[in-house]
Amino acid sequence: MTPSEFETIAMELRAKALGITRRMMFEAEDAEDIAGDVMLRLWTLHAQLHDCDHALKLAVVIAHRLSIDQLRRQKKSLHLFDSSDKGAQAPAGAWANPSQELELKEDEAWLVQQMEKLPPRELQVLRMRQMEHRTNEEIARLLGIGEASVKVMLSNARRKLFNDIKKRH
C-alpha cells in the first residue's frame, strides 16, 4: 500500500481502532492513546499492507491486543454498584442497619477482587453480559468472535466465580 493510499483510509482505520478500545471499557484518554499507537504501528507496516480490508483487519487485531495489554498493566478496578447506574443502587432505607451496609461493601469488594482474577477476555465478556446487559450475539459481533466462544467464556467465568463463592461460604 502506498503512503497516499494509507492516508486516504487513515481516518477509517483510526475510528475502527478507537471503537475497539472503547468497547473494552477504557477511559476516553486511554482509548485515544491506544488508537494513536495503532496508527503508528500501521504506518510502519503500510508497505506490507495489501489493501483497505487487510489494513482494517490488522487495525482491529492490533487495537485488541494493545487494549488487553493495557488492561493487564492497569488491573482496572471494577465497581458493581456505580452511582450513575440507578438500577444497581439499593432503595432508600434498604440498608438501615450499618452492619448490613458494611457487610454489603465487604462482599462487593471481595467479589470485585475475585472478578479481577479472571482472564481479561472472560472478564470483558462477563461484564458486557451482566453489567451492560448485552446479548451473546451482540458480544460476539462486537468482539469479532463466534457466539459459541462467548457462551464458553461466559460459562467459564461464572463457574470460576461460583466456585470461589462456594469456597468462601
Side-chain angles (χ1 to χ4, degrees), residues 61-120:
V61 170
I62 293 171
H64 185 259
R65 290 185 179 166
L66 289 175
S67 297
I68 288 174
D69 289 346
Q70 182 74 8
L71 271 175
R72 286 180 180 150
R73 278 193 302 273
Q74 287 183 343
K75 283 288 185 185
K76 293 197 72 85
S77 61
L78 300 171
H79 299 287
L80 299 180
F81 300 107
D82 185 6
S83 60
S84 66
D85 184 6
K86 302 299 181 207
Q89 290 181 339
W95 310 110
N97 185 345
S99 66
Q100 286 177 326
E101 278 187 60
L102 181 60
E103 189 175 329
L104 177 66
K105 287 180 182 178
E106 288 174 354
D107 286 345
E108 180 186 2
W110 178 84
L111 184 57
V112 166
Q113 184 180 30
Q114 298 311 112
M115 288 173 70
E116 287 176 344
K117 291 179 183 177
L118 292 172

Side-chain angles (χ1 to χ4, degrees), residues 13 27 123 142 162:
L13 293 171
E27 299 293 326
L123 177 59
L142 290 171
F162 180 71

Side-chain angles (χ1 to χ4, degrees), residues 12 34 45 52-53 56 90 98 143 147 154 158:
E12 185 180 355
I34 291 173
L45 298 171
C52 179
D53 190 47
L56 281 170
L143 298 178
E147 216 173 320
L154 192 55
R158 287 176 174 162

Side-chain angles (χ1 to χ4, degrees), residues 18 21-22 25-34:
L18 196 55
T21 56
R22 283 193 176 150
M25 285 66 72
F26 283 101
E27 299 293 326
E29 290 176 8
D30 291 337
E32 292 286 341
D33 290 345
I34 291 173

Side-chain angles (χ1 to χ4, degrees), residues 126-138:
L126 181 69
R127 196 181 231 186
M128 291 174 87
R129 178 72 175 155
Q130 299 302 130
M131 297 169 133
E132 296 178 14
H133 308 290
R134 295 183 185 270
T135 65
N136 289 352
E137 184 180 336
E138 284 179 303

